[in-house]
Amino acid sequence: MKDKDRFQLKWPWNVVAYIGVTLVLGYCIGYLWSILLAVWFYHYQKKKHPEMPEGGYCLARTRKRLIYVPLNLLILLLGVGMLAFTWEHRPESELYEPVKYMTGWVIGLVLCAIALYEMYSNIRDVLFPDKSTLAQSIKSQMPDPEATAPTPELFAMVDQDIETNGQWFDQVVVGKKWVLGDTACYIPRIRAVFGRDEIRQHHANGQTNGGRIIQVFLMDDRRQVQILKLKNPNELPMLLDCLRLRTPDAYFGSFEDDYEAFRKKSEDEWYAFERKFQQKKNQRGLRQFEEDAPKEQSMILTRADGSVTSRVEEGLIKQLLGKEQFSLTAGQSVRADGHDFTELRYVPVGEAEAELVLKEVRKDQHKEYGLRRIVGQMEAKHILEDWIQRKIPNLAGWERIYLNVFRPEEKYENPPPELWLVSNSGIRQQHHTFTREDIEVLAEGLVDGSYQKMQLTFYGYLFMQIETGNQFDGRCTVCVTHPDGDELRLFETKSTSRQAAGWLLEFYDGSFSPDWSTWKDHTKKLSQE
């Protein structure tokens, strides 16, 4: 509570106070020592209070550019000094040398221009954050840079991500959606990352001088590059590992070996790379969706009236014993003695006995196999309780039978139409109610690449399945079932996305009748499945 209530100077008065105290101490103990003391005190305060700085991390980065103004002034003084020195060596002077004269003017003017531009940009970033380099980098990555939110809202968006999810590496911080250095980079747009750890050496006057360059280059989907600068080489591998977790589909390489070749990719090569990136992203999203999707119930009870429940308890089994028939279907098959079983059916036979039928996963076109046994009600109760726990009873004495798939005495209603699809972002959808307008929208999505895969099914067995192409073959794969007399056949072909969209509409309207001789017949594959 004391930390919250303690007095703190706010921007810009805290900067004025720092400068004033530094000047006073400099008069007393020397300006070099006073500057060192001010820097130490600043880092001490920052370490003691690591919370978000006043105004947020983004504003702190723009204000930090103020410390470069003295350096800009020094460069400006060097430029002015070079111009003054050159003026002394003008043609009227006895020291005039044409080469040195021209070189002096060029160096002096370049230094002055650099210093004035940097001084202007640094002061602009501090006084006008809306026009700062950081604000422009955030706006340029928005879907519509011309219609983005005000700069304070953009800064608040980045600050919230950094405060909640930020991982710090020197002066670089990686959030869940943003990477903040001197500029900000939106993580979902990153396509390639290149680490650079280079030691440069040069020889002059018999001495060897060197420096170490530690950087990370981030290339986004616009092929624009942002550079993150580090001081500690030990932070580089940790930063790269963090970026791999944040953007697992991006390309990671070294600056020395891969950066130039990657930057010089042609438009066709970049298009192929972008398509491969999206495919990896979609596949990962689909895997994640399937992992996060609710898992199938371990056991489902179906009663004689057709009602279904997944809350199967021993008390419910006791209530039904001897009164009505029911079945228990496992979400995943239960394996025993080399056989897989999916269902245990209970049929009461009188008051003391019951018929149990274990349905086996082994079928041909007309038969379903199983095992049957007549047991007492008490034994049936134990077998049912074990089956709920996915345990198979002792199969000795069970009779092997087969069950007809088609039962004329039973009346079945045609199942409703079904439409399922996987979007380009990896989201899977399933619909049982839809109109032709919905199918038209889906057809347009096939043409513009909004969907990866879809299937439209009628009567439970007539379906058309369309899967979009990949980087090796951009054509769609179309699979269709077609009744031929008493046999259901499966055909497959390749087509353009526009042709597949047209076939989809015809299939929905019931007017689909292509030349089957040009399609591949995969009926054997259908019977095997």
Side-chain angles (χ1 to χ4, degrees):
M1 190 68 181
K2 293 182 179 180
D3 287 343
K4 293 183 179 180
D5 295 336
R6 65 185 176 87
F7 174 74
Q8 282 185 322
L9 287 174
K10 297 184 178 181
W11 169 268
W13 302 112
N14 56 350
V15 177
V16 174
Y18 266 108
I19 295 175
V21 172
T22 302
L23 292 177
V24 172
L25 289 177
Y27 179 79
C28 299
I29 64 176
Y31 291 105
L32 177 61
W33 292 108
S34 67
I35 292 174
L36 292 176
L37 186 61
V39 171
W40 173 84
F41 184 74
Y42 169 77
H43 286 287
Y44 170 78
Q45 288 285 66
K46 189 175 180 180
K47 184 177 181 179
K48 186 177 179 181
H49 304 285
E51 65 272 6
M52 182 188 296
E54 178 197 351
Y57 296 108
C58 293
L59 272 181
R61 289 298 168 97
T62 60
R63 293 168 180 171
K64 185 180 178 182
R65 295 180 68 88
L66 188 63
I67 64 176
Y68 296 110
V69 173
L71 178 61
N72 303 146
L73 287 173
L74 178 60
I75 297 175
L76 181 61
L77 291 176
L78 289 176
V80 172
M82 179 61 71
L83 293 176
F85 177 79
T86 305
W87 175 255
E88 292 295 327
H89 292 72
R90 62 188 181 276
E92 294 81 4
S93 172
E94 296 179 357
L95 301 175
Y96 172 72
E97 294 184 18
V99 176
K100 291 183 178 181
Y101 181 76
M102 295 302 298
T103 303
W105 278 110
V106 171
I107 294 176
L109 291 173
V110 169
L111 289 176
C112 289
I114 293 175
L116 290 173
Y117 174 77
E118 289 294 325
M119 190 181 304
Y120 162 76
S121 62
N122 291 331
I123 295 176
R124 177 203 62 195
D125 286 5
V126 174
L127 300 181
F128 306 99
D130 288 350
K131 300 180 180 179
S132 66
T133 304
L134 178 58
Q136 296 303 318
S137 69
I138 298 175
K139 291 180 180 179
S140 66
Q141 297 173 83
M142 295 291 100
D144 186 1
E146 300 298 328
T148 56
T151 299
E153 294 184 17
L154 296 178
F155 281 1
M157 173 183 64
V158 178
D159 290 338
Q160 183 179 5
D161 180 45
I162 297 303
E163 184 178 23
T164 306
N165 310 294
Q167 298 289 328
W168 289 86
F169 308 91
D170 277 353
Q171 297 301 310
V172 177
V173 56
V174 181
K176 188 175 182 179
K177 295 183 178 180
W178 292 93
V179 179
L180 182 62
D182 293 333
T183 57
C185 185
Y186 188 48
I187 292 178
R189 302 192 72 157
I190 295 177
R191 295 295 182 266
V193 180
F194 304 93
R196 182 183 188 185
D197 186 358
E198 181 179 346
I199 298 177
R200 287 190 172 183
Q201 295 181 347
H202 63 275
H203 304 276
N205 301 323
Q207 296 182 348
T208 301
N209 298 315
R212 191 166 188 172
I213 303 175
I214 307 169
Q215 297 173 327
V216 174
F217 291 73
L218 304 178
M219 183 178 294
D220 61 20
D221 56 346
R222 304 165 298 169
R223 306 185 72 173
Q224 296 186 10
V225 178
Q226 299 190 44
I227 303 176
L228 307 175
K229 300 177 182 179
L230 301 173
K231 296 179 181 179
N232 186 353
N234 296 327
E235 298 284 337
L236 179 60
M238 292 187 290
L239 173 58
L240 293 176
D241 289 341
C242 182
L243 289 173
R244 284 189 178 93
L245 294 175
R246 292 289 193 261
T247 174
D249 305 311
Y251 175 84
F252 282 78
S254 67
F255 176 82
E256 295 81 3
D257 300 330
D258 305 319
Y259 176 71
E260 282 299 322
F262 206 90
R263 189 175 62 86
K264 294 179 180 179
K265 283 181 178 291
S266 65
E267 291 297 328
D268 292 339
E269 291 174 331
W270 181 262
Y271 175 79
F273 168 78
E274 180 69 20
R275 187 179 180 87
K276 184 177 180 181
F277 173 87
Q278 293 297 338
Q279 289 175 347
K280 288 172 58 179
K281 180 180 177 181
N282 294 337
Q283 291 171 0
R284 182 173 55 83
L286 181 59
R287 289 195 300 270
Q288 187 65 40
F289 174 79
E290 292 175 346
E291 291 175 1
D292 296 340
K295 299 295 186 293
E296 190 176 10
Q297 296 289 343
S298 59
M299 200 66 64
I300 298 175
L301 185 144
T302 304
R303 302 178 64 168
D305 59 3
S307 60
V308 176
T309 179
S310 58
R311 303 185 64 178
V312 182
E313 300 175 352
E314 293 183 5
L316 178 60
I317 299 298
K318 292 179 181 179
Q319 294 177 12
L320 299 178
L321 283 175
K323 298 178 180 179
E324 62 176 273
Q325 72 178 43
F326 60 87
S327 64
L328 291 171
T329 305
Q332 294 182 347
S333 61
V334 182
R335 189 168 183 81
D337 297 336
H339 300 278
D340 294 322
F341 300 95
T342 60
E343 181 183 296
L344 177 58
R345 187 181 305 165
Y346 169 87
V347 181
V349 180
E351 297 181 358
E353 294 182 328
E355 178 188 59
L356 296 180
V357 177
L358 270 173
K359 183 178 177 181
E360 185 179 355
V361 185
R362 185 170 67 90
K363 63 177 73 175
D364 60 21
Q365 190 174 358
H366 304 289
K367 297 179 181 180
E368 285 183 346
Y369 293 88
L371 299 175
R372 180 179 61 183
R373 185 181 178 188
I374 303 296
V375 297
Q377 293 289 1
M378 187 58 64
E379 185 179 358
K381 174 179 175 295
H382 292 313
I383 292 175
L384 288 167
E385 291 175 350
D386 287 343
W387 175 253
I388 294 176
Q389 303 299 323
R390 300 179 59 82
K391 297 178 181 178
I392 299 293
N394 186 356
L395 299 180
W398 288 66
E399 175 189 3
R400 182 168 297 278
I401 62 173
Y402 73 85
L403 307 171
N404 288 328
V405 177
F406 305 106
R407 299 178 176 85
E409 67 277 7
E410 298 181 10
K411 296 182 179 179
Y412 292 90
E413 295 183 358
N414 289 326
E418 181 183 26
L419 173 65
W420 67 263
L421 52 95
V422 180
S423 68
N424 200 29
S425 59
I427 302 300
R428 176 176 291 179
Q429 303 176 39
Q430 187 175 16
H431 305 278
H432 293 285
T433 303
F434 46 87
T435 63
R436 193 180 195 281
E437 287 74 15
D438 298 325
I439 302 300
E440 291 175 355
V441 173
L442 179 57
E444 294 175 0
L446 287 174
V447 176
D448 62 26
S450 300
Y451 299 100
Q452 290 184 7
K453 193 173 183 179
M454 58 76 56
Q455 180 171 309
L456 177 60
T457 305
F458 293 107
Y459 311 116
Y461 64 92
L462 291 179
F463 67 83
M464 173 179 283
Q465 185 182 98
I466 302 175
E467 184 172 358
T468 57
N470 53 40
Q471 59 178 336
F472 303 107
D473 189 349
R475 296 176 298 172
C476 293
T477 302
V478 183
C479 295
V480 184
T481 55
H482 173 65
D484 185 8
D486 295 334
E487 184 180 12
L488 185 66
R489 303 179 68 182
L490 176 66
F491 293 93
E492 179 182 305
T493 191
K494 297 278 190 178
S495 73
T496 63
S497 57
R498 192 169 298 277
Q499 177 67 77
W503 284 340
L504 177 62
L505 292 173
E506 293 178 1
F507 187 78
Y508 178 83
D509 294 334
S511 59
F512 180 64
S513 57
D515 182 6
W516 296 112
S517 63
T518 62
W519 292 55
K520 295 181 180 179
D521 191 342
H522 290 314
T523 304
K524 292 183 178 180
K525 178 180 177 182
L526 180 64
S527 63
Q528 291 174 358
E529 294 179 353

